[in-house]
Amino acid sequence: MRISKRAERIEPFYVMEVAKAAATLAREVAHTERPMIFLNIGEPDFTAPPLVQEAAARAVRAGATQYTQATGLDRLRERISGWYAERFGVDVPARRIVITAGASAALQLACLALIEAGDEVLLPDPSYPCNRHFVTAADGRAVLIPTTAAERFQLSAAKVEAAWTPHTRGVLLASPSNPTGTSIAPDELRRIHDVVTRRGGITLIDEIYLGLSYDATYGQTALAIDDQVISINSFSKYFNMTGWRLGWLVVPDVLVPAIERLAQNLFICASTVSQHAALACFEADSITEYERRRAEFKARRDWFIPQLDALGLNVPVVPDGAFYAWADCSAFGERLGISGSWDFAFEAMKQAHVAITPGRDFGTDQTGRFVRFSTASSMAHLEESVARLRAWASAAIAA
């Protein structure tokens, strides 16, 4: 069977390939004293809070399970609009909000609506791999621009200006970012958008971790800059609804009809039950619980990052959001005779029974030195993983 060139251009999602290997080994060690600890997947260990679960059950019992309009339940769009006003002090009219089948669908819709074959989109290196693959799937070309720790592993206006060509369509940013957990400083983001606007381009920004910002300096939505910014968001991370597959897209008014047409044809609508459940995310009791969980994620970060540094797994920029640690494993690996983050991740899996993600997925510039730890797991798991990594290093050096 002939496979399309488009499909052939999409690289494997190595995060999931590593996860499969970890799951296989986990079955072998499940009944030992050291079962596998999974610090490789960016999925909160919390589930949807009680009010959200109850709202889903009510929707099922009431038979509220039929298609919604492609843009989503009006009540949910209005709740999200209210959340922007209350949380960020930004006026985002409900008519500009489109409910999607997760942030993945939001990114796909945005790329298909805005990218022509051969268009180039600038992204930071490192960045979440699927973002560049959405560009590729729309027949565009993702251009990865190397970033540094001094830049918080984010693009700068100067680098965007320098990389712009006649084929450049715009930028695809993420703040906070996966894999680094770092955000773009608001002033720099404004300068980036100014460059893009002057060039007649588009600014797309993945804000799915915005609710998990720990620093008020960075915890601001890009939608405060300009109503031409296109923001992708999700109920997966802050709202702990990963498998419910629900997200949203905020677009300029002029783009709504095109997005709606695409959504009608590609998805019909997002899950109706998930949409009814998500209405309860914005109840006061739910927000209180989400804020308690955000504080827990911050406490994990505050404990875990110094522990990694002490092990020699240097985290060059402390994450200000999300639940990741982007750690340089080169010095640690050198002590153990391991070269590169790919081999390091598999050795950590085999020797310490700790699953982590090698940098291979996230770009090509120095990513072979880095691994990503997810702190979305419990504090107990984080503590045990540090103890195991320390013991592994000590035993290897002693040998």
Side-chain angles (χ1 to χ4, degrees):
M1 182 177 292
R2 182 170 62 86
I3 306 299
S4 73
K5 292 181 180 178
R6 180 186 299 105
E8 296 288 357
R9 287 195 297 269
I10 303 298
E11 301 168 25
F13 192 6
Y14 292 107
V15 168
M16 304 313 294
E17 294 297 315
V18 173
K20 286 192 293 187
T24 299
L25 180 57
R27 288 191 290 271
E28 298 174 9
V29 301
H31 302 295
T32 71
E33 294 180 352
R34 295 196 311 160
M36 186 68 67
I37 296 176
F38 294 93
L39 303 184
N40 57 321
I41 301 295
E43 182 170 38
D45 57 335
F46 301 113
T47 58
L51 289 180
V52 177
Q53 297 181 38
E54 292 163 11
R58 281 197 307 273
V60 172
R61 288 195 299 268
T65 58
Q66 296 177 317
Y67 296 138
T68 70
Q69 61 188 16
T71 51
L73 289 172
D74 286 337
R75 282 196 298 151
L76 184 54
R77 299 164 80 192
E78 289 161 4
R79 289 281 180 94
I80 294 171
S81 174
W83 190 65
Y84 278 113
E86 294 163 15
R87 180 96 177 203
F88 305 107
V90 176
D91 179 22
V92 180
R95 68 176 185 273
R96 292 176 47 210
I97 299 169
V98 178
I99 308 301
T100 60
S104 296
L107 278 159
Q108 183 180 2
L109 289 168
C111 288
L112 290 175
L114 294 165
I115 296 172
E116 299 281 8
D119 283 349
E120 296 177 351
V121 177
L122 309 180
L123 297 90
D125 184 345
S127 59
Y128 183 57
C130 297
N131 287 3
R132 68 179 184 266
H133 296 325
F134 286 119
V135 173
T136 301
D139 290 330
R141 189 170 84 87
V143 178
L144 292 178
I145 300 176
T147 61
T148 65
E151 298 166 316
R152 303 181 59 76
F153 297 114
Q154 295 282 0
L155 291 186
S156 65
K159 283 190 171 178
V160 170
E161 185 85 71
W164 203 278
T165 77
H167 301 291
T168 305
R169 183 71 176 101
V171 296
L172 175 49
L173 312 170
S175 186
S177 165
N178 177 3
T180 65
T182 64
S183 299
I184 308 171
D187 288 347
E188 190 63 34
L189 181 56
R190 188 177 296 274
R191 286 190 285 270
I192 291 172
H193 182 62
D194 287 345
V195 171
V196 172
T197 300
R198 179 161 39 83
R199 295 283 195 159
I202 53 173
T203 300
L204 290 88
I205 184 160
D206 172 348
E207 297 190 308
I208 70 173
Y209 295 100
L210 183 61
L212 291 174
S213 291
Y214 312 127
D215 186 332
T217 302
Y218 300 105
Q220 305 171 39
T221 176
L223 295 169
I225 295 174
D226 185 6
D227 63 7
Q228 297 304 298
V229 169
I230 297 164
S231 173
I232 293 91
N233 218 311
S234 173
F235 285 92
S236 290
K237 309 303 182 180
Y238 176 74
F239 295 104
N240 307 152
M241 296 176 68
T242 50
W244 301 67
R245 306 315 303 132
L246 196 65
W248 73 87
L249 184 63
V250 181
V251 298
D253 281 307
V254 69
L255 192 54
V256 173
I259 294 289
E260 183 175 12
R261 289 196 304 273
L262 286 167
Q264 287 170 339
N265 283 279
L266 294 178
F267 302 103
I268 301 181
C269 66
S271 164
T272 301
V273 172
S274 295
Q275 290 188 63
H276 282 287
L279 290 167
C281 289
F282 303 99
E283 298 293 335
D285 286 351
S286 295
I287 294 295
T288 297
E289 176 61 15
Y290 287 132
E291 287 300 290
R292 184 194 69 77
R293 295 174 180 185
R294 182 167 71 101
E296 173 63 21
F297 283 130
K298 181 179 183 297
R300 295 174 186 178
R301 178 204 67 173
D302 291 345
W303 182 85
F304 192 62
I305 301 297
Q307 297 296 322
L308 290 181
D309 285 334
L311 286 170
L313 292 163
N314 177 245
V315 179
V317 186
V318 175
D320 58 84
F323 34 62
Y324 300 114
W326 185 239
D328 186 339
C329 67
S330 54
F332 190 106
E334 185 177 345
R335 282 160 41 207
L336 302 182
I338 301 169
S339 177
S341 63
W342 182 262
D343 289 344
F344 180 86
F346 276 87
E347 284 302 308
M349 191 189 309
K350 289 186 286 187
Q351 304 299 331
H353 297 174
V354 175
I356 56 179
T357 300
R360 181 176 182 175
D361 252 330
F362 303 103
T364 58
D365 183 67
Q366 300 189 62
T367 52
R369 296 173 51 193
F370 285 87
V371 291
R372 188 196 71 179
F373 290 86
S374 169
T375 54
S377 195
S378 69
M379 185 67 86
H381 280 169
L382 296 178
E383 292 171 349
E384 175 63 17
S385 68
V386 167
R388 291 186 189 180
L389 291 170
R390 185 181 297 116
W392 171 36
S394 297
I397 292 170

